Amino acid sequence: MKKMMKFTAVILSLAVVGVTAFVGSIHMRGNFDDYILPKGFEESISEADTSRDSDTYTRIMSANLLVNYESWGGTDARKRAKMFFNVLDAYQPDVVAIQEMSDQWYCCITKNRGSYQLVYPVSSGAMFHMTGLMYNSDTVTLIDHGRMEYTQGDNPRLRRIVWGLFEDNSTKKHYVVTSTHLDLIREGQEKEELSVMNTQAEEQIKLTNELAERFDCPVFSAGDFNAMDDGGYDDEYYAPTVYNKLAKEITDTKYIAQTKTNGNDRKVEKPTFDHIFLKGNETVNRYAILSDEVMLQMSDHYPIFADISD
């Protein structure tokens, strides 16, 4: 009995050491206090129109964070994460669909998230889910949530759907937000990748419809779809047929928004890979792309958001 108790004590001690080391790693890798915001960023934020109409019950944002892996074109996430949290502080989205959350991004978010909570960030050990959701627990309550991996795709950590059923804390309105990151068409694999993306789009539509029926509420399908609207700039590599498949079944909020706004670098009418689709009859008060040029120092994708009312 004494040996068993001693063994248990050792295991518990090792677990405490492991947790302490993990927390310490998060603190060290996620600390961006010493990083300076790029020139022009604070001015861009201070001059931005962050307001929302009085009848808006939710602001949904989508942001591809861009991993810190050099082979992917990324850089150290800490300076960029400091920018990202300034964006969150300014615009106060209720739910954020995020993509390319690498381990360093996870540390930055976990250390600095404030009232924002993550949905399904970790699978096991250091295998972080790179596609996920953040939500502001001060403004919304997570009622239910789920996830699914696409049946086809090059990396299930990215190629997945994460969803949450949320209740607005003020109006008690329910709605679902999903986050996803589809495959992309690569040179030499055009036919194969297009087939994969079409399958993923069909699975996204199917899940969106199922969630709308199950919860009897609007569903917002957000993320990096690697498929451009209006044909994009290349009819093959920017996968407009995949976008059209999605837009035929679920509505792109950009095209029904009463007001559209953009930054100084890219007009809102220009095609993008990032979209917020809607299944339901909600009104889109505003659709915006945060396209000030300085934002490109945060990621290679501009964040977008949609303000929603009944």
Side-chain angles (χ1 to χ4, degrees):
M1 183 67 178
K2 289 183 178 179
K3 289 184 178 179
M4 180 62 71
M5 292 177 64
K6 189 174 182 179
F7 177 75
T8 302
V10 170
I11 294 299
L12 289 173
S13 296
L14 290 173
V16 170
V17 171
V19 170
T20 302
F22 182 66
V23 172
S25 176
I26 289 175
H27 177 82
M28 180 178 67
R29 299 193 69 208
N31 185 4
F32 52 54
D33 291 344
D34 294 334
Y35 287 78
I36 298 172
L37 293 170
K39 183 179 180 181
F41 178 78
E42 290 177 284
E43 181 181 4
S44 171
I45 289 290
S46 66
E47 293 178 354
D49 178 9
T50 62
S51 65
R52 62 172 85 185
D53 292 349
S54 59
D55 61 344
T56 292
Y57 70 80
T58 188
R59 172 169 286 174
I60 299 165
M61 180 176 284
S62 185
N64 183 317
L65 304 174
L66 180 59
V67 295
N68 57 293
Y69 312 147
E70 186 177 349
S71 61
W72 290 33
T75 59
D76 190 306
R78 284 169 289 189
K79 181 177 181 178
R80 298 187 290 116
K82 190 167 188 175
M83 297 175 68
F84 179 62
F85 275 93
N86 272 265
V87 169
L88 295 188
D89 288 343
Y91 287 93
Q92 293 289 304
D94 299 290
V95 183
V96 187
I98 55 175
Q99 303 85 46
E100 296 196 24
M101 183 183 70
S102 58
D103 54 345
Q104 191 185 43
W105 265 105
Y106 171 81
C107 292
C108 291
I109 291 172
T110 300
K111 176 173 170 51
N112 302 283
R113 65 189 179 188
S115 60
Y116 282 92
Q117 303 296 317
L118 284 165
V119 180
Y120 288 132
V122 181
S123 54
S124 61
M127 297 301 292
F128 296 95
H129 289 157
M130 299 172 75
T131 297
L133 287 169
M134 297 174 65
Y135 66 95
N136 187 346
S137 59
D138 285 344
T139 61
V140 297
T141 298
L142 180 66
I143 304 299
D144 200 351
H145 58 294
R147 55 188 170 177
M148 63 164 277
E149 296 176 2
Y150 288 119
T151 57
Q152 299 181 49
D154 60 6
N155 187 337
R157 294 170 61 203
L158 284 83
R159 315 307 179 194
R160 62 192 302 108
I161 303 173
V162 176
W163 62 266
L165 171 66
F166 298 97
E167 179 181 83
D168 177 72
N169 291 344
S170 297
T171 65
K172 305 305 178 183
K173 175 81 175 178
H174 284 196
Y175 58 94
V176 172
V177 180
T178 76
S179 177
T180 196
H181 192 179
L182 266 58
D183 256 275
L184 72 160
I185 296 179
R186 300 177 176 90
E187 187 174 359
Q189 299 176 295
E190 294 85 356
K191 185 177 180 180
E192 296 84 353
E193 291 291 356
L194 182 60
S195 176
V196 169
M197 292 180 71
N198 274 314
T199 298
Q200 292 172 345
E202 290 163 4
E203 291 174 352
Q204 171 75 67
I205 293 166
K206 183 175 184 291
L207 180 61
T208 298
N209 290 334
E210 289 173 352
L211 292 169
E213 182 176 357
R214 175 180 172 186
F215 296 115
D216 191 26
C217 70
V219 178
F220 300 92
S221 301
D224 176 2
F225 292 86
N226 275 316
M228 282 193 175
D229 48 316
D230 281 348
Y233 304 101
D234 188 292
D235 287 342
E236 183 172 27
Y237 289 100
Y238 292 167
T241 57
V242 175
Y243 172 84
N244 291 337
K245 180 188 289 286
L246 289 158
K248 184 178 178 180
E249 301 295 333
I250 46 181
T251 303
D252 190 337
T253 55
K254 179 168 75 172
Y255 289 99
I256 61 170
Q258 295 181 344
T259 301
K260 302 176 187 179
T261 58
N262 52 256
N264 61 19
D265 185 54
R266 188 183 186 87
K267 297 294 186 182
V268 70
E269 293 81 10
K270 294 291 186 181
T272 62
F273 288 124
D274 306 279
H275 311 288
I276 302 172
F277 292 102
L278 163 64
K279 175 72 175 183
N281 299 312
E282 303 304 275
T283 297
V284 182
N285 289 343
R286 179 184 175 194
Y287 176 95
I289 180 168
L290 308 187
S291 55
D292 275 1
E293 187 174 6
V294 70
M295 288 287 182
L296 287 175
Q297 296 186 55
M298 184 172 76
S299 174
D300 57 349
H301 289 242
Y302 289 124
I304 59 173
F305 72 77
D307 286 349
I308 309 300
S309 66
D310 289 325

